[in-house]
Amino acid sequence: MRSRSIKLAAATGLAAALFASPAAAAAGSPGATGIGDSYYPLDGNGGYDVSHYDIRLTYQPETDLLSGTTTILARPTQDLSSFNLDFLLKVSSVRVDNAPASFRTDGGELSVTPAAVLPAGRDITIVVRYSDTPESYRLYGNPSWIHTPTGALAANAPQIAPWWFPSNNHPRDKANFDVSIAVPPGVEAMSNGVLVNRTQTVPQWVRWNWRSVRPQAPYLAMLSIGQYEVRLATAPNGQQLVTAYGDDLGANGPAARASVERTPEIIDVLSEWFGPYPFEAQGGVVDSSLGFAMETQTRPVYDGFFFSRGANTSVVAHELAHQWVGDSVSVDEWRDVWLNEGFATYAEFLWSEYQGEGTAAEVAQFRYDTMPASDPFWQVLPGDPGVPNQFHPAVYYRGAMALQALRVAVGDDAFFEILRTWVAEHRDGTASIADFIALAEHISGQQLDDVFTTWLYTAGKPPVGPNGAVQARAVTAKPKSYDQIEFTIGLLAAGK
Ligand SMILES: [Zn+2]
């Protein structure tokens, strides 16, 4: 439309040019194909803001056939002639405000051209119908969707949503979710938030209805379908507590239960450091097919292997800490991943301290002492690790050392005030590392360039350790919790 107007103006002179101007405005313009993330330029989209996803699906475990409808409530932020959603599967129809729209899918982008221009500021309803087998797709080379022997798992970062629902897939656009999945009787289907009900209107299908009422980034929406023991309970704070354990956990089952059943207790302890729990429900899912663990909102997913050496509350503390740092306060760009992984790892250190199994200072110091300066570990910058190293152990461990160094620099009172204020100020939103540095300097009244430049942005082993001392000749004693933390981070960092 736009280029035709320009040609017309050129051909017929001034009168046509005057006419073309308002015509071009009425034509709108296409929304950007990415939201502006330097690590993942095609993640998210421009031109609109989503407020709600209604995802209504049917899943057949044997064939991996996923079909249904996602309804998206959104508001254009510009006059839109077309817009993109992030989605991989085959689409059969798209409607915008009930009118059929033309569409095209290509490499994870679903481009939609509505019948008429969508004016900025006027709410729209997008309905996408689809049916496909998610396991056949890759994005950035990754097959994030896992088709298991008894169902499927959707839990990954930063990209998993495009395998099961069309979205504006970036933390900058959070929304509420209703997720409804029909599965054959005898199959369980878990998602985020509160389990509203399970309904069976036809003999062949049981429908599980889940609702998330706090803003949620699309990548934190999860599905776990299969054979589980599902436990529905009420946490001491009155919230619904849903835990689920795969039938195939075998010897890992008891230790998994002995760890994940402590979720409300660990949430209470974490609340002392990060402030009130930010969400409306609690729980966790343990499965044998994931290969790592993921902080999906209100309901983390853990691979059973985390519990193969016995109870592992370190990984539970890690994923639950993400509910504050990662899920409620999300990265503004994926470059800011230190705000997720450095903080959740430091929460493991704090949990160790609380358990009396080694202080955070001791855990950080031991890692620092035992990692030789020649190790490539020290070459990864937690503050800007690059896409291939986004989940490198350095982002976790050196990232947690950075927080220990900050704690030593500003003192305990200021440090925990910084953590709580951080979460309170950015609740339900996103923030950057620069925002965190500014807040830390504001609360402490100190200039903290040295701490952050050294620990986040300078290659090489810092000559002064996380507790402010040059390395002693003898390595400090290994904290009791250390092997469990090492095992946990090893799986979390390598699994991605
Ligand atoms: Zn993590």
Side-chain angles (χ1 to χ4, degrees), residues 293-295 318-319 322 340-341 344-345 391 396 492 496:
M294 178 66 206
E295 62 270 25
H318 182 108
E319 303 307 336
H322 274 311
N340 290 9
E341 300 308 345
T345 302
F391 297 101
Y396 292 70
L492 289 174
K496 296 280 168 67

Side-chain angles (χ1 to χ4, degrees), residues 74-233:
R75 176 172 294 180
T77 54
Q78 66 185 65
D79 293 339
L80 276 176
S81 58
S82 65
F83 61 89
N84 277 21
L85 291 160
D86 300 304
F87 196 45
L88 284 161
L89 305 187
K90 266 186 225 116
V91 170
S92 57
S93 75
V94 179
R95 285 175 178 262
V96 179
D97 289 341
N98 291 304
S102 63
F103 60 91
R104 184 168 52 86
T105 47
D106 183 22
E109 295 287 315
L110 168 61
S111 308
V112 177
T113 304
V117 168
L118 308 169
R122 204 191 70 195
D123 290 351
I124 57 170
T125 305
I126 307 159
V127 180
V128 182
R129 291 178 65 91
Y130 48 99
S131 182
D132 208 345
T133 49
E135 68 175 331
S136 55
Y137 288 91
R138 303 280 182 279
L139 189 61
Y140 299 107
N142 299 319
S144 288
W145 177 271
I146 299 172
H147 182 204
T148 71
T150 60
L153 278 172
N156 206 351
Q159 292 94 18
I160 182 58
W163 278 263
W164 65 287
F165 64 97
S167 74
N168 192 19
N169 185 32
H170 197 274
R172 284 188 204 164
D173 193 358
K174 297 185 180 186
N176 300 330
F177 283 71
D178 280 319
V179 176
S180 172
I181 322 128
V183 289
V187 175
E188 284 74 41
M190 258 69 64
S191 189
N192 315 79
V194 168
L195 177 61
V196 179
N197 56 32
R198 267 169 293 193
T199 58
Q200 185 165 15
T201 49
V202 291
Q204 308 91 315
W205 298 105
V206 177
R207 189 164 275 289
W208 295 62
N209 296 299
W210 299 88
R211 167 163 285 186
S212 305
V213 298
R214 302 296 310 176
Q216 175 173 289
Y219 88 95
L220 294 169
M222 70 84 125
L223 270 188
S224 63
I225 298 169
Q227 297 296 311
Y228 294 93
E229 181 213 354
V230 179
R231 296 184 177 187
L232 260 173

Side-chain angles (χ1 to χ4, degrees), residues 374-386:
S374 58
D375 196 292
F377 171 91
W378 295 108
Q379 299 308 314
V380 175
L381 307 181
D384 192 2

Side-chain angles (χ1 to χ4, degrees), residues 24 27 44 101 134 245 256 287 293 330 337 364 383 488:
Y245 302 91
D287 189 278
S330 301
V337 65
T488 298

